[in-house]
Amino acid sequence: MSAEAEKAGGDWKPRHNPWLIALVVTMGAFMEILDTTIVNVALPHIAGSMSVSSDDATWTLTSYLVANGIVLTISGWLGRLLGRKRYFLICIGMFSVCSFLCGISGSLWQLILFRLAQGFFGGGLQPNQQSIILDTFPPERRSAAFAVTAVATIVAPVLGPSLGGWITDNYSWRWIFFINVPVGIATLFGVLHLVEDPPWEKLKRSAGIDAIGLGLIALGLGCLQIVVDRGEDEAWFGSTFICTMAALSAIGILGAIAWLLYAQKPVINIRVLRDRNLAISCVLIVAMASILYASAVIIPQLAQQVLGYTATWAGLILSPGAFLICLLIPLVSQLQKVLPTKYVIMIGFGCLGVAMIYSHGLTPDVDFRTLALMRAAQAAGLAFIFAPLNGMAFSSIDKKDNGDAAALFTMFRNVAGSIGISLSTAMTTERTQVRLAHLAPHMTLLDPGYVTLLGQVRRALTQQGPGRHRRRRSDLPDFPDAGIHPGLYGYLRHLLDHGLLRHAADLAVGQR
């Protein structure tokens, strides 16, 4: 950058209100992040309407995450190649078009293809949003600006299951994609009229295509996303497919690191991680994201699969946490004026740790209020972490490196979220299998506890009469005092709720 350009750049200020700019670019990021979780609760509906298995329907998630993870890392290079504002507009427009195409898909392969394209264009929204905010606000106001982005990054994955559940229960799964279209159009016009590239961005020129670096990044991150997303379904390293993907992922990631350090003009400058604040912030965002995304998926799964909630009610468990974050973020911004940023982040992780200890006490008969309080307690900690952590990450980064730093920071967050979801889901599946193996020997007429509980269930159903095959949890007797294993009791209640003890009920009322 020339001395004249640098001087002009130092005096540059956006022509429009910075807060309007932050709001507009955050709308685009919010739309993209929402799509990472809104589809989760709709997978059974997608599988049913397209006459495919649930396992096949999961590829709609995998394809999105694979493309998204690859583009996140190279978004800075694409911004330099096309111009940041132009690239951001292309991403918003094509993301909206691909959302519409997903909604009208007539077969699974079409949906997977359009989700792949949606993830490709959506991957450029988050890093460019952060980069624009970094250039729009001076360093002393960035923490307050990142409080706005916290709404997109933290609230969007929380509201995703709630909104997705309500839409699929009341309308059609196709509308979870159609709702992106009007939001995308509004964001497109807002960015077109409000956002502008600063002088130093206009002077950047792409150094050409780093084909080797680009290929290694695509190989490493693409295969990694497949491993973490499909590992549980394929029995992890007992599967040749997963072992192959893991090996290719290791080759791609290690090769990319070596090449990017060696190349004169790499596709992304990973040397920015030498900045201490950015490196520490990347480590901390990995810890935060793995907890945030994992809990946002596990809690609705528990509510739907074990407690028998509808998709709407399962999603509503997360909603109080989202509102609590919105209330706490302004207070955190004021707290940063009194306490150093590092202490605010410490408070956040401390609150998050205490909340996770509180949340571990789940039982088969947990109620809605308790689940909502558990999630709200976790959300309270996240409000103290995200905005201060973003401010610390970019506090000492040179403005010419904002694009690469934002791309790496966002990539670490999203990959950590995917890994957290996969590991938590795998642990839940494994422990469920262990518990069922432990309970199986007790489910016999030779076990006194089982006989006692089954008698209570039969008496309760007999009082109901023969016309009700589907029982509610409120119809069951209270927890018995006959020395029955608590897990066995909860499991039998789960079986009854899902109609798996109908035969016992029929016998009780004299039906065959």
Side-chain angles (χ1 to χ4, degrees):
M1 184 183 297
S2 66
E4 292 80 5
E6 188 170 353
K7 181 178 179 181
D11 298 332
W12 178 84
K13 290 183 180 180
R15 288 179 294 177
H16 302 280
N17 188 312
W19 293 106
L20 280 178
I21 296 173
L23 180 62
V24 167
V25 297
T26 299
M27 283 173 60
F30 182 90
M31 177 176 62
E32 190 272 327
I33 299 173
L34 191 71
D35 255 48
T36 61
T37 58
I38 195 173
V39 181
N40 291 348
V41 295
L43 285 180
H45 299 263
I46 293 174
S49 66
M50 293 190 169
S51 301
V52 297
S53 67
S54 298
D55 187 59
D56 290 336
T58 306
W59 280 104
T60 60
L61 293 178
T62 305
S63 59
Y64 182 91
L65 292 173
V66 167
N68 193 267
I70 294 171
V71 176
L72 278 172
T73 311
I74 63 173
S75 61
W77 170 73
L78 289 171
R80 292 191 296 271
L81 181 67
L82 302 172
R84 189 176 65 187
K85 178 179 177 179
R86 185 181 295 111
Y87 176 53
F88 196 56
L89 288 169
I90 291 172
C91 288
I92 295 171
M94 291 306 299
F95 185 87
S96 303
V97 170
C98 293
S99 297
F100 177 77
L101 293 175
C102 288
I104 64 173
S105 297
S107 63
L108 182 63
W109 74 264
Q110 291 179 348
L111 181 58
I112 293 174
L113 178 64
F114 295 139
R115 281 285 285 174
L116 190 72
Q118 191 186 35
F120 179 83
F121 291 105
L125 293 176
Q126 292 184 63
N128 278 284
Q129 175 229 19
Q130 287 195 319
S131 182
I132 290 170
I133 288 178
L134 285 171
D135 289 338
T136 302
F137 290 86
E140 63 273 10
R141 298 176 63 191
R142 285 176 183 170
S143 292
F146 279 125
V148 177
T149 69
V151 175
T153 307
I154 298 179
V155 177
V158 170
L159 288 182
S162 305
L163 183 60
W166 183 81
I167 291 174
T168 52
D169 281 345
N170 293 279
Y171 297 98
S172 166
W173 62 266
R174 297 181 184 277
W175 281 97
I176 66 178
F177 299 111
F178 290 148
I179 60 172
N180 289 332
V181 177
V183 177
I185 293 173
T187 305
L188 187 70
F189 282 102
V191 171
L192 187 63
H193 290 287
L194 296 177
V195 177
E196 56 186 312
D197 287 334
W200 55 87
E201 280 292 328
K202 295 178 180 178
L203 290 172
K204 286 182 179 179
R205 292 293 181 269
S206 172
I209 298 177
D210 177 14
I212 296 178
L214 187 60
L216 289 171
I217 289 172
L219 177 67
L221 292 181
C223 292
L224 177 62
Q225 288 288 359
I226 292 175
V227 169
V228 300
D229 195 57
R230 304 291 299 179
E232 177 59 33
D233 296 327
E234 302 288 342
W236 290 107
F237 295 103
S239 164
T240 303
F241 173 70
I242 293 298
C243 288
T244 303
M245 290 294 104
L248 291 175
S249 174
I251 293 171
I253 292 175
L254 294 177
I257 293 173
W259 173 259
L260 294 175
L261 290 173
Y262 167 78
Q264 294 296 320
K265 297 178 179 179
V267 66
I268 183 171
N269 180 21
I270 63 172
R271 289 183 175 87
V272 295
L273 291 174
R274 289 184 296 188
D275 182 89
R276 182 182 177 185
N277 288 331
L278 177 62
I280 293 175
S281 298
C282 286
V283 174
L284 294 179
I285 201 67
V286 165
M288 189 209 80
S290 58
I291 295 172
L292 168 66
Y293 285 90
S295 57
V297 171
I298 290 299
I299 291 179
Q301 276 187 351
L302 169 71
Q304 286 183 274
Q305 298 177 10
V306 178
L307 303 180
Y309 287 18
T310 64
T312 302
W313 281 101
L316 287 174
I317 291 173
L318 308 179
S319 298
F323 290 118
L324 183 60
I325 290 174
C326 294
L327 291 175
L328 286 177
I329 283 176
L331 298 178
V332 173
S333 298
Q334 296 300 316
L335 184 61
Q336 284 187 265
K337 298 178 181 179
V338 180
L339 287 177
T341 300
K342 62 181 180 180
Y343 293 125
V344 177
I345 296 173
M346 289 173 60
I347 292 172
F349 275 104
C351 293
L352 191 57
V354 172
M356 297 308 292
I357 294 174
Y358 166 59
S359 301
H360 91 285
L362 292 171
T363 59
D365 56 350
V366 64
D367 59 14
F368 178 91
R369 177 176 174 272
T370 303
L371 281 175
L373 285 175
M374 287 179 176
R375 182 59 188 176
Q378 298 168 18
L382 295 174
F384 287 86
I385 297 174
F386 184 79
L389 194 57
N390 273 267
M392 185 179 78
F394 304 104
S395 60
S396 52
I397 291 291
D398 194 294
K399 59 187 177 184
K400 66 181 178 61
D401 294 323
N402 281 344
D404 288 333
L408 287 170
F409 187 75
T410 308
M411 183 272 293
F412 277 115
R413 185 181 70 222
N414 281 34
V415 171
S418 298
I419 294 174
I421 291 172
S422 299
L423 291 180
S424 59
T425 304
M427 291 176 62
T428 301
T429 302
E430 179 187 354
R431 296 312 300 170
T432 300
Q433 293 170 348
V434 171
R435 297 296 183 186
L436 292 179
H438 176 66
L439 293 174
H442 297 277
M443 297 186 66
T444 170
L445 295 178
L446 301 178
D447 187 283
Y450 175 77
V451 173
T452 302
L453 177 58
L454 191 58
Q456 289 182 327
V457 171
R458 283 175 172 169
R459 286 193 295 272
L461 295 180
T462 302
Q463 295 172 3
Q464 303 282 330
R468 300 180 64 187
H469 291 285
R470 184 81 171 178
R471 309 297 172 181
R472 298 193 309 269
R473 187 170 299 277
S474 58
D475 297 331
L476 297 174
D478 293 333
F479 192 85
D481 297 324
I484 298 173
H485 191 286
L488 175 61
Y489 180 75
Y491 181 59
L492 288 177
R493 292 174 67 172
H494 166 61
L495 292 178
L496 182 64
D497 275 358
H498 289 78
L500 300 179
L501 287 182
R502 288 180 187 168
H503 185 60
D506 291 343
L507 290 177
V509 296
Q511 291 185 343
R512 290 286 184 176

